[in-house]
Amino acid sequence: MSNMQSSFWVRVAVTIILLSGVANAPVFAKYKVKPLQPKAASEFESHQDFQNVTIGTHAADTKEESLELFDEKKLHEKDFLPILIVIQNNNPFPIKVDEATIFLIVEDGSQRRTVSFLDVLLAVKLKKPRSNYSSSKEMLAKEVAKEEMYNDFKHKAFGEKVIAPMSSDHGIIFYKRPYEGEVSNFRLYLPEILNSSTGEPLMFFELELRN
């Protein structure tokens, strides 16, 4: 066999090996944004109507329910409990609700605070302890999460909302899942719903998480 023929077959063999490697390489699926179009607050199994305000909630208790909200299986694996909350304001004044003031009351009566969407993203995506990184939470979350994922979590997070008269708004709040007890025995406690015009508080709400 001539040197030219030998060189040709070497190139063919190398090409086959490279193509085989590409074929066997892992395929990383693109993050898929799940549309969030909740029903009216009064239509949820868990809802309360008081002071011309209706609040409806649904806890994504299972992995399947969590995946209906976000395309990230580690959200459930890392023991986060996402809760969809819808608020209808039928008052002649706007109301203000901040997710940081909404507590989860577990079976023993203790209260759990919400976890921000930034902390959720970092817990799900970081491969090393948070102390190993010097960036701010927001910058670090943008670095470790895909752009689609970061924007999806930010857009769906309840955050702090001012809800206009005769209108509704919604979002998702996150809690670290308690290790004991059934979600159906937990309650959401909203002690600080404010009249946004005057700053005066309305009466508190407390809902059982019936799914």
Side-chain angles (χ1 to χ4, degrees):
M1 181 181 295
S2 67
N3 289 338
M4 184 177 296
Q5 289 176 317
S6 176
S7 177
F8 170 77
W9 288 113
V10 168
R11 290 197 300 270
V12 169
V14 170
T15 301
I16 292 173
I17 292 172
L18 291 174
L19 290 175
S20 177
V22 170
N24 293 324
V27 177
F28 297 98
K30 183 179 180 181
Y31 181 87
K32 296 180 181 178
V33 175
K34 309 292 182 70
L36 188 60
Q37 298 176 325
K39 54 193 175 184
S42 60
E43 295 179 8
F44 285 84
E45 177 69 17
S46 175
H47 75 273
Q48 190 174 98
D49 190 349
F50 186 49
Q51 303 175 106
N52 295 320
V53 174
T54 304
I55 301 176
T57 67
H58 178 79
D61 188 24
T62 66
K63 182 178 180 178
E64 290 72 24
E65 288 176 318
S66 180
L67 286 170
E68 289 176 1
L69 300 176
F70 298 99
D71 184 25
E72 177 52 71
K73 63 181 181 180
K74 286 187 178 180
L75 187 60
H76 185 79
E77 294 172 1
K78 292 285 187 177
D79 289 327
F80 286 108
L81 176 66
I83 298 179
L84 172 63
I85 181 167
V86 181
I87 301 179
Q88 173 71 42
N89 177 25
N90 291 323
N91 285 291
F93 52 81
I95 60 173
K96 181 180 178 180
V97 185
D98 185 349
E99 71 169 40
T101 65
I102 305 175
F103 296 92
L104 180 69
I105 303 179
V106 298
E107 287 188 356
D108 65 4
S110 62
Q111 298 180 352
R112 308 295 175 89
R113 290 186 175 274
T114 54
V115 182
S116 74
F117 84 93
L118 290 174
D119 286 320
V120 172
L121 282 175
L122 293 179
V124 167
K125 302 303 291 184
L126 284 183
K127 300 186 182 302
K128 298 179 181 178
R130 173 72 176 88
S131 57
N132 288 30
Y133 304 87
S134 59
S135 303
S136 67
K137 284 185 182 180
E138 184 174 4
M139 292 300 299
L140 189 55
K142 287 181 178 180
E143 290 173 11
V144 298
K146 296 179 181 178
E147 182 178 2
E148 295 86 352
M149 182 178 183
Y150 176 88
N151 290 337
D152 190 36
F153 272 70
K154 182 178 181 180
H155 175 70
K156 290 176 180 173
F158 190 88
E160 183 178 335
K161 294 186 182 297
V162 174
I163 305 174
M166 309 307 295
S167 65
S168 68
D169 208 338
H170 62 271
I172 295 172
I173 54 180
F174 301 93
Y175 294 95
K176 194 66 176 175
R177 184 184 301 273
Y179 290 106
E180 296 181 358
E182 298 292 331
V183 170
S184 59
N185 295 328
F186 300 160
R187 290 166 289 154
L188 273 191
Y189 177 49
L190 295 86
E192 296 186 33
I193 299 179
L194 304 178
N195 178 331
S196 187
S197 298
T198 65
E200 296 179 358
L202 280 66
M203 291 292 289
F204 69 86
F205 280 71
E206 191 169 317
L207 302 84
E208 295 179 351
L209 291 180
R210 301 188 304 270
N211 283 355

